[in-house]
Amino acid sequence: MLMVHYYIQKMKAGFTNYFLLFLVPLNFLHCSSQPSQDKIEDHTVIEYSGDIKLIQSTQGSNKTIFVLTGFGQSPDSIINKHQLFKSLLRENHDLAFVSITNKNQTLYVKQDEIKSLAEQITAFIANSKESKKTYTLLGFSIGGSACLKLLSDSVFCNKTNISKCVVIDPPLDIERLYSSLLRQHKETKNDISKNESGFLLNFFKENYNITETTKPPVLWSNSIFALNDTLYKNHKRIKHKNILLFTNNDSAWQRVNRGRLPIDMNITDCISFYESIRMQNNAKLIVMKNNNALSNPHSWDNVDESILINWLQ
């Protein structure tokens, strides 16, 4: 992948929306009420009540990253698949995977879901015996959106002292996401895209009571950033944070492999969000170019590792 610094004035006017790729649900290991331990590639794994799975880099590490995965992903399904996690462990970052459901199937639309995340992370930090530890948020896709929602909660930020956050290709605007899914389900001729959009539209209906008749303000209120939002503007509550944002502009892959249009991609909303928060935060936006035609660009691999690791120093 090639890293590209992207500035909004170079953005083509045709991009007006974004996408969320559905990830096939995988069983999430529900943690028992008592900690248990095993080994993963020479690293100690500790499972806590509250659905936190900690993978220790070294016994003496003073750096912990709270990882919020994409929809349906479990730590076991991604930890050995993506080089990023191995690199972070080598750099002595402990990885604490956080989930609020046993299969990690959530779109983090309800405030109660964000509250549950905040309570788990806050309790984990409060119970830590290491007073000099530093903590960071790292989220992919919908997990990245949840990270930013946590950063907008001043009480959570004050309790945890988390100031660094890395997010990878997150869907930010629920209104745009829903409209994109609806259009794909009605118009696409690609079976994968049609099935994914249909699944997620049903998930919105069954879990959040969001349908075609839902009024835009309901969607705005549950978005960290919404392009048409004139009421809530939740992103304005994010202040004085260090935010590294990765996204991609690989519309060709989406068109060929999913039948999606540029309006179904995350990139424009990521750029608009960045422009809206950069004056009050130390924010950096990186647009990645996917050079592997066989690789889905919406991925944990959609990062420049050297930039990410330096950001965490």
Side-chain angles (χ1 to χ4, degrees):
M1 285 191 176
L2 173 66
M3 184 279 292
V4 182
H5 288 275
Y6 196 94
Y7 297 95
I8 194 168
Q9 60 264 30
K10 295 183 181 179
M11 189 64 187
K12 292 183 179 179
F15 285 113
T16 58
N17 224 330
Y18 63 88
F19 76 101
L20 167 68
L21 292 180
F22 165 64
L23 297 171
V24 177
L26 298 171
N27 289 331
F28 184 85
L29 181 59
H30 184 70
C31 303
S32 62
S33 58
Q34 298 295 326
S36 63
Q37 294 191 31
D38 59 3
K39 287 282 184 180
I40 261 191
E41 291 195 345
D42 299 324
H43 298 286
T44 299
V45 180
I46 306 174
E47 295 172 15
Y48 293 89
S49 59
D51 287 333
I52 287 185
K53 183 168 188 171
L54 176 68
I55 301 179
Q56 293 181 321
S57 56
T58 62
Q59 287 286 22
S61 174
N62 64 352
K63 300 175 291 187
T64 296
I65 298 175
F66 292 104
V67 182
L68 278 64
T69 69
F71 184 93
Q73 289 183 327
S74 71
D76 297 329
S77 72
I78 60 177
I79 187 66
N80 290 320
K81 181 179 179 181
H82 300 288
Q83 181 62 39
L84 173 61
F85 300 113
K86 299 172 186 177
S87 298
L88 291 172
L89 289 168
R90 280 199 303 269
E91 293 293 324
N92 295 325
H93 292 277
D94 289 349
L95 303 178
F97 291 83
V98 190
S99 174
I100 62 171
T101 69
N102 63 343
K103 291 185 178 180
N104 210 16
Q105 290 190 8
T106 173
L107 296 175
Y108 295 110
V109 172
K110 295 178 181 176
Q111 186 56 38
D112 285 349
E113 294 174 316
I114 302 302
K115 181 180 178 182
S116 177
L117 279 177
E119 289 174 347
Q120 289 184 55
I121 294 173
T122 300
F124 183 93
I125 292 176
N127 291 330
S128 175
K129 297 179 182 180
E130 300 290 338
S131 60
K132 295 183 179 180
K133 267 188 175 291
T134 61
Y135 298 95
T136 300
L137 297 174
L138 169 63
F140 164 66
S141 194
I142 201 64
S145 300
C147 287
L148 296 174
K149 288 183 177 181
L150 286 171
L151 283 192
S152 71
D153 184 338
S154 59
V155 175
F156 169 78
C157 292
N158 289 336
K159 285 183 177 180
T160 60
N161 197 31
I162 291 177
S163 63
K164 287 187 177 182
C165 179
V166 180
V167 292
I168 304 170
D169 207 28
L172 302 175
D173 184 336
I174 301 299
E175 180 186 22
R176 297 291 185 173
L177 170 60
Y178 192 86
S179 296
S180 177
L181 292 171
L182 196 61
R183 184 201 60 76
Q184 289 177 59
H185 192 62
K186 290 180 178 180
E187 299 177 7
T188 187
K189 296 180 180 179
N190 182 283
D191 289 341
I192 296 176
S193 180
K194 191 174 187 66
N195 290 337
E196 291 174 353
S197 59
F199 177 93
L200 286 176
L201 288 170
N202 186 66
F203 194 89
F204 269 113
K205 179 180 179 180
E206 296 296 324
N207 292 273
Y208 304 114
N209 197 30
I210 292 176
T211 67
E212 288 185 65
T213 61
T214 300
K215 301 298 183 183
V218 174
L219 306 178
W220 301 343
S221 67
N222 291 296
S223 302
I224 187 60
F225 175 84
L227 196 63
N228 296 327
D229 178 15
T230 59
L231 297 174
Y232 301 97
K233 300 185 178 182
N234 294 322
H235 63 280
K236 289 193 171 183
R237 300 201 301 268
I238 301 178
K239 298 178 180 179
H240 313 304
K241 299 297 186 294
N242 300 293
I243 301 172
L244 178 59
L245 175 63
F246 289 96
T247 187
N248 75 79
N249 65 350
D250 199 340
S251 58
W253 193 97
Q254 296 301 329
R255 182 182 67 254
V256 172
N257 295 278
R258 295 294 185 269
R260 294 191 171 103
L261 303 176
I263 60 173
D264 299 319
M265 297 180 64
N266 291 341
I267 182 171
T268 298
D269 289 299
C270 286
I271 291 172
S272 297
F273 169 78
Y274 165 75
E275 287 295 320
S276 298
I277 58 102
R278 67 185 181 89
M279 298 303 294
Q280 297 189 82
N281 298 273
N282 176 29
K284 188 172 186 177
L285 172 67
I286 307 295
V287 175
M288 301 293 293
K289 175 68 176 179
N290 186 30
N291 292 325
N292 185 350
L294 301 178
S295 174
N296 189 333
H298 184 68
S299 165
W300 282 101
D301 296 323
N302 187 48
V303 298
D304 184 299
E305 282 191 20
S306 61
I307 291 178
L308 190 156
I309 289 172
N310 287 335
W311 183 267
L312 296 177
Q313 300 305 319

